Structures are given as C-alpha cells and as structure tokens.
Amino acid sequence: MISNLKFIFVIECPLRATIWAILTLALVLEDVSACRAQEQSTPAPTPTVSSAADANDCPNPPSDAAADPQAMFPHFKSTRFWLSGQMNFIFQTHPDFRADYSGPNSLHPRYEKATSRVMTLYTGVRLNNSTELLVDIEEAGGAALSEGLGLAGNTDLDIVRNPSLSKAPYLGRGMIHTVIALSDDKIENQRSFLSLFDELPRRRLEIRFGKFSMPDFLDINSVGSDTHFQFMNWSVDNNGAWDYAADTRGYTVGIVADYEDRNWGFRFAEGLMPKVANGIDLVWRPWQVHAENWEYELRRGVLPKKAGVVRVLAYTNYANMGIYRVAVQQFENHTSPEPETVPEITNHPWHITRKYGFGINLEQNLSRNFTAFARWGWDNGKTESFAYTEIDSTFNQGVGANGALWHRRQDRAGVAFVSNGIKKDHQVYLADGGLGFLLGDGGLNYGRENIIESYYTAHVWRGIYVAPGVQHISNPGYNRDRGPVVVPSFRAHVEF
C-alpha cells in the first residue's frame, strides 16, 4: 500500500507546481517499487536500531542519496597513508537575454560560454593513533561566465573569481588533525581526504590547525554541498549569507575545534580574513583582523523514525570593510576623501568594522533514496560584502535522489530553489552606481534573485562521471531590468 508521506516545499516561482509533482511522483514510484519487491520475495531480515541515539551516530543522515562515488583505482585501506585525486570540468553557456542596461560588473547579456577546471591531489599520513598530517595540492583555472561577475548566486562554484591569478599549482589544504578521546567506546569512521582514521571515539574533541576551507567542516550538507557530484550554484551548495573567511580561492588559515557526542556536536572555527574584498592575501594580525564561526549540530530528524540533521550557524567577521550607508552619504554630500562620480565602498582609511550573521541548515531523509534539505541565512547587511558573495539574506530548499531506485546506484539527481536578497543600504549603493566585488549594473531596479537548479550525474565507468544540468535565474544581480537568464551546463568529473 502506498504510504501517505508528504514533504511540503513552498517555492514562490512559476515552476513550483512542476517541482512538487516530480518529487511526489518519485516518492510514489519508490513506494510502489518497494511494495512490489515485498510481494515477489521475502526479504532477508534487516538489523533494527536499538535506540534513537544509535540511529543518529553518523554525521549525516544514512541515506543512499549521497552514496560514495567509485574511483578509478582503489584507495589505500588498512594503512596510515592516503592518496587520491580528482578532476572537475564544468562547461556553461547562456543565450542572449533582455538587459535594459549593463554596467562594469554585469552579467553579459549576449551569448557567451566558459569552461572551468579544478584538479586536486589529496595526500595524508597518520602519524600515530591520534594525529595525522593532511596536504592537498590544487590547480584551478579555465574561465567563468562574465569573469564571475553579475550574479550573487553565481552558477559555478569552481570558478576562479580573479582571472589574473597564477595558473600554477598551489597548496589548497595543509593541516594537522588531532583527535582527543573522551570515551572508550569507538564508532566506525569513513576514511576520506579530511580524516584517515578507521574508527573514532564516540565522544571526542577534534582539533585541526593550518590551511583549510571553512565549508570543509561547517554548513555541510550531504546532498547540497559538493560541486563534483551535486549542485553547482554558490548559493545552493553553501549558505549565501555566510560571508565566511577566505581568500580568492576559498581558503583561510586558522583552527577548528570540533566536539562530537553520540547524537550532537559543536564546532568553533577561527580564521584569517583577506586584506581587501575577494583578495588573495590574508591579514596576518589575528588580534585585529579575524573571523569566528560557531555551529551546533543535532542529528535528529523532524519526521518520525527517519534520520535527519539540524545545524545552527553563527559568525562574526572583523576586517577592513566599508559601510554602505557611509559610502552613499559621502557621495550624496560630496564629502568623500576623493571626488567620485558614483559611491565607492572602498574609499575610506584603514579601519576595522564588524559583520555578523546566522544560518540554519536542515537535512531530512524522506526515504532510502531521497533526502530533502533547506538552508536559511541572514547577515546584518550594513557592512561591505567581503569574502564570499553579495548576499544578505537567503533561503534555499531542494531534494537529492540516488539512482538505486532505477537500478543505477552510482547515479544521482537533484533539484533546488534558492531566493537571495540584500538589505536596503546595499540596494541604494548599487542603485546609485556603486560597485561591489561581484555586482554593479550601473543602476538597480531591485528584486530578489531567484534561482532554480537541476542536475543529473551519470556514472560512466569506474571513476568517470558526466552531469548535464540547467539553472534558471530571475532578476540576475537583484535587477528586475535584466533577465531572466537560462544557463545550461555540462560537468565531467574523474575520481582517482
């Protein structure tokens, strides 16, 4: 008998009914398949979960929707070493679209195409039973649509936001990872480039120090955080209102402390901020320029007897950031340090200001092969967008599916909707012709930037995957006078 499970998506866009229909049909088909399988044969007994706490020991919901990918070659097992790699190529294009006007930082309204690439070599060695060294070498290049400008929710998270950066390989991650046991009982750990241990204490404190990316450890989502196999949009894979500490390539230097208990965890991360917005150079004065991040994770679903995770995020940044209202007032009153024809957020002496924000990240298993997710984010919006993107408020929701339902376990698919916005001061700054590090059409007829993204990742052979996808963007750069834009894409990924 078909179950009555319902999961409601409230999506304010013309395609919400279509998305809901697809999701409902998929869930019905899975239930029907399960019922037919039960009628045709008697299944082997499956282990039962002894308690809710045991069911939520793992860091992410135990869903097949985020199945581990195959690699070209088997990874080292039962050894203290790690060696793997990946290559990710994303081709994107867009046709001509309506644009009443364009500015220096606009998405180009004429047809264009671009291909980005990211190649990474992951290495690691376990020094003893509690400490390991992890080092990743990376190369990123190619091109971005309109050099990465014109969209708050950019369509490709892999792009290099500064095309003048060197194309030579660089150190992506380099960190010491130490685990302090706080209990004698152990749980199994899935080895990866971020942790080489086969098992971990159930209750523990993990400390990481070095160079890393904040989303490696915070705001993680099992079906909405990976550009290699899942979505590609900046504001779908990450919380767009989280202006996390990072250089142009997305990395910072700092420390992460992670306390893990049976069904909950708490993380704190301290990182360095860049000298200028979207800058490659970090400020090495942590007593003056710094970022704090906190996240509480509760591994418990909102649906009965189904796994899920709730994560609550907060952050504060201290850096040489401008204030939108001050920049606009200086422009309007002609009191800027230098004469200006438009407001300029960077036209101020060195000073330290604060930016802060909050986020919620939800995951919920709907069935064995479907996981729903949602994010909400907000920041104070008065201070200059500095490190990630120009978003002050965001809400996204979506669903990820595993191909086991149609007998292709390594395949996966997903659809998501995200709505991004900025605060009034930020709107006025852009309307007066001001430029951010991503946006600036020379004017602004404000409207929320709404994006729908869908993809299908197909396993070709061993570690080779291909993924067609499409994104639809309404009000690109928050501007009702431009768009909508349709961005088809094709991703090729090789996992070593």
Side-chain angles (χ1 to χ4, degrees):
M1 182 172 59
I2 299 174
S3 68
N4 292 322
L5 175 64
K6 295 182 180 179
F7 192 88
I8 298 175
F9 287 89
V10 181
I11 301 181
E12 295 300 330
C13 67
L15 298 181
R16 64 183 184 274
T18 303
I19 296 172
W20 171 239
I22 292 172
L23 176 60
T24 303
L25 177 60
L27 292 175
V28 169
L29 287 175
E30 178 162 21
D31 287 340
V32 170
S33 298
C35 291
R36 289 179 177 174
Q38 288 178 348
E39 292 172 358
Q40 294 172 359
S41 63
T42 302
T46 55
T48 57
V49 178
S50 59
S51 68
D54 291 335
N56 291 291
D57 278 343
C58 56
N60 289 312
S63 168
D64 287 342
D68 296 326
Q70 283 189 9
M72 292 290 291
F73 310 105
H75 295 161
F76 295 149
K77 294 182 178 180
S78 303
T79 175
R80 62 194 185 96
F81 297 100
W82 180 270
L83 180 64
S84 68
Q86 68 83 31
M87 297 189 299
N88 207 52
F89 301 89
I90 297 177
F91 169 81
Q92 293 188 327
T93 184
H94 71 73
D96 294 354
F97 64 88
R98 179 186 67 89
D100 294 349
Y101 49 86
S102 297
N105 288 2
S106 292
L107 184 70
H108 298 162
R110 300 305 177 197
Y111 168 82
E112 60 176 338
K113 59 184 178 180
T115 302
S116 67
R117 71 176 183 272
V118 175
M119 297 182 285
T120 313
L121 176 67
Y122 304 106
T123 69
V125 57
R126 197 168 61 239
L127 304 178
N128 53 46
N129 291 332
S130 62
T131 304
E132 59 190 8
L133 174 64
L134 308 171
V135 177
D136 304 341
I137 304 300
E138 194 167 80
E139 192 272 345
L145 296 175
S146 302
E147 297 185 343
L149 302 172
L151 294 171
N154 196 282
T155 55
D156 184 359
L157 188 54
D158 281 359
I159 63 171
V160 178
R161 292 178 291 180
N162 183 350
S164 65
L165 288 180
S166 170
K167 302 302 187 292
Y170 54 90
L171 177 68
R173 300 173 183 86
M175 70 186 98
I176 294 287
H177 176 207
T178 297
V179 178
I180 301 172
L182 301 177
S183 66
D184 294 330
D185 53 333
K186 304 284 187 178
I187 59 172
E188 183 180 353
N189 180 53
Q190 183 178 326
R191 282 164 55 95
S192 73
F193 66 93
L194 292 174
S195 179
L196 312 186
F197 299 108
D198 296 306
E199 58 181 16
L200 292 168
R202 185 183 299 276
R203 185 179 297 110
R204 63 193 181 276
L205 177 64
E206 299 186 48
I207 299 176
R208 293 175 171 89
F209 175 77
K211 186 179 182 183
F212 56 86
S213 180
M214 286 288 182
D216 287 340
F217 310 109
L218 290 88
D219 193 43
I220 297 172
N221 193 296
S222 67
V223 291
S225 288
D226 187 355
T227 60
H228 297 170
F229 297 98
Q230 299 166 353
F231 300 97
M232 290 175 269
N233 192 281
W234 292 17
S235 53
V236 174
D237 279 333
N238 291 324
N239 189 322
W242 178 30
D243 203 16
Y244 65 85
D247 61 16
T248 309
R249 300 191 186 278
Y251 296 100
T252 187
V253 174
I255 186 171
V256 178
D258 181 0
Y259 174 80
E260 292 295 330
D261 210 320
R262 180 178 294 271
N263 63 351
W264 65 278
F266 183 81
R267 301 171 194 101
F268 171 77
E270 181 88 16
L272 300 181
M273 292 287 290
K275 290 182 179 179
V276 297
N278 191 37
I280 191 63
D281 297 319
L282 301 174
V283 179
W284 292 86
R285 295 197 295 272
W287 60 89
Q288 185 183 28
V289 178
H290 51 88
E292 290 79 43
N293 301 263
W294 302 265
E295 183 178 66
Y296 173 76
E297 175 178 292
L298 177 64
R299 293 181 279 274
R300 180 167 299 172
V302 297
L303 296 180
K305 298 182 181 180
K306 292 187 180 293
V309 183
V310 179
R311 301 177 181 92
V312 180
L313 175 74
Y315 76 93
T316 56
N317 294 339
Y318 295 86
N320 181 35
M321 300 176 286
I323 305 297
Y324 289 113
R325 181 172 297 181
V326 172
V328 170
Q329 289 175 345
Q330 289 178 341
F331 167 68
E332 293 176 347
N333 299 332
H334 306 288
T335 58
S336 302
E338 298 179 7
E340 297 174 342
T341 57
V342 297
E344 176 53 65
I345 192 68
T346 63
N347 199 351
H348 57 78
W350 177 274
H351 65 164
I352 304 303
T353 55
R354 183 180 68 159
K355 188 184 189 76
Y356 60 90
F358 307 93
I360 299 175
N361 179 339
L362 304 176
E363 281 185 74
Q364 177 61 59
N365 283 6
L366 304 180
S367 64
R368 183 176 180 82
N369 294 308
F370 287 89
T371 299
F373 72 96
R375 283 187 177 95
W376 169 85
W378 176 94
D379 67 44
N380 63 318
K382 299 179 180 180
T383 312
E384 177 185 6
S385 297
F386 206 70
Y388 185 48
T389 187
E390 298 193 46
I391 295 176
D392 298 328
S393 65
T394 186
F395 174 72
N396 76 59
Q397 54 189 344
V399 64
N402 178 258
L405 177 61
W406 49 95
H407 310 295
R408 290 186 58 87
R409 179 176 173 77
Q410 283 294 313
D411 288 10
R412 63 200 73 194
V415 61
F417 167 80
V418 60
S419 179
N420 303 317
I422 52 176
K423 301 295 178 61
K424 186 65 176 180
D425 290 351
H426 200 163
Q427 296 173 30
V428 173
Y429 174 79
L430 293 176
D432 285 346
L435 301 179
F437 72 90
L438 290 176
L439 304 181
D441 294 330
L444 184 70
N445 179 12
Y446 179 73
R448 292 186 69 87
E449 185 183 77
N450 297 325
I451 303 168
I452 297 174
E453 179 178 3
S454 63
Y455 74 90
Y456 185 93
T457 299
H459 181 223
V460 178
W461 178 74
R462 288 194 177 182
I464 301 176
Y465 296 80
V466 296
V470 65
Q471 299 179 50
H472 180 278
I473 303 105
S474 299
N475 307 325
Y478 310 110
N479 202 335
R480 295 180 184 271
D481 293 334
R482 312 183 85 247
V485 188
V486 177
V487 181
S489 64
F490 184 83
R491 173 175 55 205
H493 179 81
V494 181
E495 191 81 7
F496 295 103

